[in-house]
Amino acid sequence: MFNYTIRRLLLAVPTLLLISFLIFLLLDLAPSDPTANLPLTIPPEVREKIRISLGLGEAFHIRFLLWCKQFFYNETLNILEQWWGWDFGGDRLRVLSWQTRSPVVDTIVQRIPQTLWVVGMSYIVGILIAVPIGILSAYKQYSWFDQIGTFVSMVGYSVPTFFTGVLVIVIFSVWLGWFPSIYDTTLVVNDWSSFLQQVKQMIMPVSVLALYNAAQISRFMRASMLDNLNQDYVRTARAKGIRERSVILVHVLRNSLIPVVTVIALGVPQVFGGAIITEQVFKVNGLGQLLIIAIQAGDVPTVQTLTFIFAVLIVFFNLIADVLYGILDPRIRYD
Amino acid sequence: MTETTIHSLQGDQDPSSPGRDIWDQFKTHRGAVLGLGFFIFIILAVAFGPYIWGIDAQFIDIRARNQGPSLLHPLGTDQLGRDTLARLLVGGRVSLSVGIVAMVLSLFLGTLIGVVAGFFSWIDGLLMRLTDLFLALPLLPLLLVIIMLFRDTLRTAFGPETGIFILIVFVIGITSWMQAARIVRGDVLALKEQEFVLASRSVGTPSRRMITRHILPNILSPILVSATLGIANAIITESVLSFLGLGFPSDFPTWGRLLFDSTDYLQQYPERVIWPGLAISLTVLSVNYIGDGLRDALDPRIRGR
């Protein structure tokens, strides 16, 4: 198992390098000019100097290697310096945003908490809703509870989050006026009333994303429970006289959770991607919104870095899912 | 008298043709039948609706702007006085054709790569690593990047509408073939070991004939199921792009674009977001139900019961 993890980690390095190269190539192929939005009165030679100052004067492979050095080496040293207060000395060039001329990584670090609060919370809420629903629907297959559960999860899966998001804004902010439609990130939670306000503004985005996540996970949970309920070991457990409750919640549940846990792990990076829309609907200034703004402004370093971070998340959680599968299910051995 | 006996005999003779069995099983899934009915209704509505509902979707009647539902405009008008029902019908045409064309493209790619990887073992490893690489790409951010960066080029090359259509269909197609490829490859690998393939190989069937004659008909059911899921996925992706402001231009309505435009008037006219949203949701829901029913109907293990 350990060997397998190490092997996969080593394999992830060239994969990620290749992905970052592909993203860089794509951004470079595109005919976008970072100086296009500047005033037309700027003379062409000054414009050319601006382009060179942005680092566009070099050849493609040199710019790619420079980005690699800035991102993988300089930024890592910076993080180490900040966390442990070490001093490596020297003036290192960081990955700078073309929009703000500030380091991209700092902006990302500022945006992460908002995304994590909304998205992370919604994923947890979604899992907490989905697992009991899945268990109950499978146990009472074809009952009215199962029918309703299936229908609701089908709806939750089919209705896109930008529609449910807008719909809850119409109902709860426009008509009823219960919750604010815009997420206020400057709110500091220091007493009871500001805490209530935070809860209020989180309810809508969290529940919209949670419905979507719960719909998918509860389908998996139900299918996995159904696979296990007809197995021989369940009959044996019942024949031994174990109470129905512990047959379901101990024997069956533990076995059915194995594929579900991996599905949950695989879903984490997709949730970050899906959050782009929810963040746009509720005006949360998280990572997704940062990406949209950067794309619209043609800010290549920010787009490159953010997309690469999303890719790292995907590769990393794929690895976690595979390793978890091996740990949880002793029948699966990779070595 | 004789005619009826012959008729009933013929009816009895053919009780277990595969198509009939599948349809019988499909009919038992109530949601799937409802979904199929609704999907056909939507297709007919967007195909012929604009001819029956005579109002031009682009016609601007500024004096009749921001109206509520009335006999003249059953779903009201927008901020420029354009009829919402007409725009919804025309928008559905674009959304559905993007969904269907993108699905065909992604299924073609997925089936091609899946069959080639499953059938020719020397290239299997390479193609599957490629699939893994695509699965590891952050797709939504990349979609946004590609569209943002290439839309002006394509617009000048093919005109504003066709250019964006080609770009969106192409981009959705090349980023959603991986699941189909994996499923198809798995099925082809299992098929390749069966006796009839061996028999056909022993009489000297060339690989190309083997694929078209023996492999493809046998993997039709997973392809069909992926096709329905692919339509749903492509419709959602197109509306996400339009919703983020990176899809079709605003005088060229799609359901996602209509929803995006309506959100600006959310405070004053909240009912306006509901129609395009409902259209997207119901279409995707019906397609997903069709897929669910098809999966049950095409699975021989379930069909027996």
Side-chain angles (χ1 to χ4, degrees):
Chain A
M1 200 68 224
F2 182 72
N3 281 338
Y4 173 76
T5 316
I6 296 295
R7 206 167 62 227
R8 281 289 301 271
L9 273 176
L10 288 180
L11 200 66
V13 174
T15 313
L16 283 173
L17 276 177
L18 191 59
I19 288 176
S20 71
F21 180 74
L22 284 180
I23 299 171
F24 205 87
L25 193 68
L26 186 72
L27 290 172
D28 190 68
L29 273 178
S32 86
D33 182 8
T35 62
N37 286 336
L38 295 177
L40 288 170
T41 46
I42 297 177
E45 58 269 20
V46 179
R47 207 172 272 267
E48 196 50 41
K49 275 187 184 153
I50 295 177
R51 289 170 58 81
I52 289 172
S53 79
L54 290 173
L56 277 170
E58 305 285 346
F60 171 75
H61 59 280
I62 295 179
R63 272 184 289 137
F64 177 65
L65 290 178
L66 266 178
W67 179 83
C68 285
K69 187 193 167 214
Q70 286 170 4
F71 185 77
F72 294 112
Y73 183 70
N74 292 0
E75 294 294 349
T76 317
L77 289 190
N78 267 331
I79 287 176
L80 288 180
E81 271 189 354
Q82 277 177 8
W83 283 4
W84 282 288
W86 295 343
D87 187 22
F88 293 101
D91 196 19
R92 289 180 301 272
L93 193 61
R94 307 188 64 183
V95 185
L96 290 183
S97 156
W98 286 353
Q99 280 173 292
T100 59
R101 292 311 190 99
S102 59
V104 173
V105 175
D106 289 357
T107 321
I108 293 176
V109 168
Q110 285 168 7
R111 299 297 186 100
I112 282 179
Q114 285 90 289
T115 297
L116 271 190
W117 263 111
V118 175
V119 177
M121 185 69 89
S122 72
Y123 206 51
I124 293 168
V125 171
I127 294 167
L128 290 181
I129 298 172
V131 170
I133 289 181
I135 296 172
L136 217 58
S137 316
Y139 186 60
K140 310 216 165 185
Q141 197 187 4
Y142 303 130
S143 66
W144 60 268
F145 182 85
D146 183 29
Q147 305 276 4
I148 292 175
T150 308
F151 180 70
V152 170
S153 70
M154 209 66 172
V155 170
Y157 183 72
S158 302
V159 180
T161 48
F162 55 81
F163 181 50
T164 36
V166 171
L167 205 63
V168 294
I169 287 183
V170 167
I171 295 173
F172 293 107
S173 327
V174 179
W175 287 346
L176 297 175
W178 288 357
F179 310 120
S181 75
I182 292 176
Y183 188 94
D184 177 14
T185 31
T186 57
L187 186 74
V188 183
V189 180
N190 48 13
D191 56 356
W192 181 246
S193 70
S194 62
F195 175 73
L196 269 186
Q197 210 176 338
Q198 174 72 14
V199 170
K200 261 188 180 174
Q201 68 179 359
M202 274 178 65
I203 283 180
M204 287 201 300
V206 166
S207 54
V208 162
L209 264 183
L211 173 73
Y212 183 72
N213 297 329
Q216 286 178 316
I217 298 169
S218 74
R219 296 301 291 162
F220 277 108
M221 189 71 224
R222 176 175 179 272
S224 169
M225 284 290 283
L226 283 178
D227 279 349
N228 277 290
L229 273 172
N230 293 325
Q231 300 264 330
D232 288 341
Y233 74 85
V234 181
R235 195 188 307 147
T236 311
R238 284 189 180 133
K240 283 196 301 186
I242 299 177
R243 276 179 308 148
E244 188 66 13
R245 191 191 177 80
S246 39
V247 172
I248 300 298
L249 292 183
V250 177
H251 291 73
V252 182
L253 180 62
R254 280 171 74 171
N255 280 299
S256 345
L257 271 179
I258 297 169
V260 177
V261 167
T262 56
V263 165
I264 289 173
L266 282 179
V268 172
Q270 281 161 14
V271 163
F272 276 90
I276 293 175
I277 302 150
T278 319
E279 285 182 1
Q280 197 72 8
V281 172
F282 292 97
K283 312 276 188 289
V284 182
N285 63 343
L287 291 179
Q289 201 230 16
L290 181 67
L291 181 74
I292 299 274
I293 292 177
I295 286 175
Q296 279 167 355
D299 182 359
V300 172
T302 310
V303 176
Q304 160 89 14
T305 310
L306 261 180
T307 324
F308 182 71
I309 288 176
F310 282 129
V312 172
L313 281 177
I314 294 175
V315 171
F316 184 63
F317 277 99
N318 276 353
L319 174 65
I320 288 189
D322 283 352
V323 171
L324 266 183
Y325 214 72
I327 292 174
L328 294 177
D329 193 343
R331 285 169 299 186
I332 293 173
R333 279 284 163 265
Y334 296 109
D335 303 316
Chain B
M1 186 64 200
T2 36
E3 269 183 20
T4 47
T5 25
I6 289 171
H7 182 74
S8 66
L9 268 179
Q10 274 179 339
D12 287 341
Q13 256 174 4
D14 195 27
S16 58
S17 84
R20 179 74 174 276
D21 269 6
I22 290 168
W23 175 241
D24 282 343
Q25 174 66 36
F26 188 79
K27 273 193 300 190
T28 60
H29 197 303
R30 211 183 311 146
V33 174
L34 275 177
L36 186 65
F38 184 79
F39 191 58
I40 292 173
F41 166 72
I42 283 279
I43 286 185
L44 291 180
V46 301
F48 300 111
Y51 300 117
I52 299 167
W53 186 246
I55 300 180
D56 183 7
Q58 309 284 8
F59 179 68
I60 294 175
D61 181 7
I62 202 78
R63 275 175 302 180
R65 68 178 189 275
N66 295 331
Q67 280 184 354
S70 65
L71 271 183
L72 199 59
H73 305 288
L75 303 182
T77 57
D78 68 357
Q79 73 278 7
L80 294 176
R82 292 174 292 195
D83 184 56
T84 306
L85 179 61
R87 281 166 69 76
L88 211 55
L89 289 174
V90 174
R93 241 180 215 189
V94 182
S95 291
L96 281 184
S97 44
V98 165
I100 290 167
V101 178
M103 174 274 288
V104 169
L105 181 64
S106 91
L107 267 196
F108 174 75
L109 275 176
T111 313
L112 184 73
I113 291 178
V115 167
V116 169
F119 200 79
F120 304 104
S121 43
W122 55 274
I123 205 172
D124 185 23
L126 185 71
L127 284 179
M128 281 302 109
R129 291 294 81 73
L130 182 76
T131 313
D132 288 346
L133 183 73
F134 263 83
L135 280 171
L137 288 174
L139 290 180
L140 189 58
L142 274 189
L143 275 177
L144 298 175
V145 170
I146 296 175
I147 288 189
M148 189 66 197
L149 299 175
F150 290 103
R151 66 176 169 180
D152 293 334
T153 328
L154 276 160
R155 245 183 219 170
T156 44
F158 297 99
E161 280 131 34
T162 329
I164 292 279
F165 186 86
I166 294 175
L167 180 62
I168 288 187
V169 162
F170 176 74
V171 159
I172 294 178
I174 58 161
T175 51
S176 57
W177 52 269
M178 292 83 73
Q179 306 291 348
R182 280 190 154 184
I183 296 168
V184 165
R185 172 182 171 265
D187 280 21
V188 171
L189 280 180
L191 269 179
K192 220 170 60 169
E193 303 301 321
Q194 298 211 349
E195 273 88 5
F196 73 91
V197 175
L198 189 68
S200 146
R201 191 187 298 273
S202 67
V203 297
T205 319
S207 295
R208 194 167 56 84
R209 186 78 48 77
M210 186 97 84
I211 288 172
T212 50
R213 184 109 190 132
H214 297 297
I215 304 285
L216 278 182
N218 279 301
I219 52 168
L220 207 60
S221 53
I223 293 180
L224 275 178
V225 175
S226 320
T228 54
L229 299 180
I231 292 184
N233 182 30
I235 291 177
I236 293 226
T237 312
E238 185 274 320
S239 46
V240 163
L241 294 175
S242 295
F243 185 76
L244 294 175
L246 288 169
F248 288 91
S250 85
D251 51 347
F252 192 65
T254 71
W255 286 339
R257 185 78 217 187
L258 288 176
L259 185 59
F260 174 63
D261 289 343
S262 316
T263 49
D264 292 342
Y265 298 89
L266 200 58
Q267 297 283 345
Q268 298 99 328
Y269 309 103
E271 70 281 353
R272 218 179 267 170
V273 296
I274 295 191
W275 298 114
L278 264 186
I280 298 170
S281 312
L282 286 179
T283 309
V284 172
L285 188 65
S286 67
V287 172
N288 276 340
Y289 261 114
I290 296 172
D292 219 31
L294 262 186
R295 189 177 330 168
D296 289 358
L298 292 171
D299 189 345
R301 285 172 302 177
I302 297 180
R303 211 189 307 153
R305 278 187 260 148

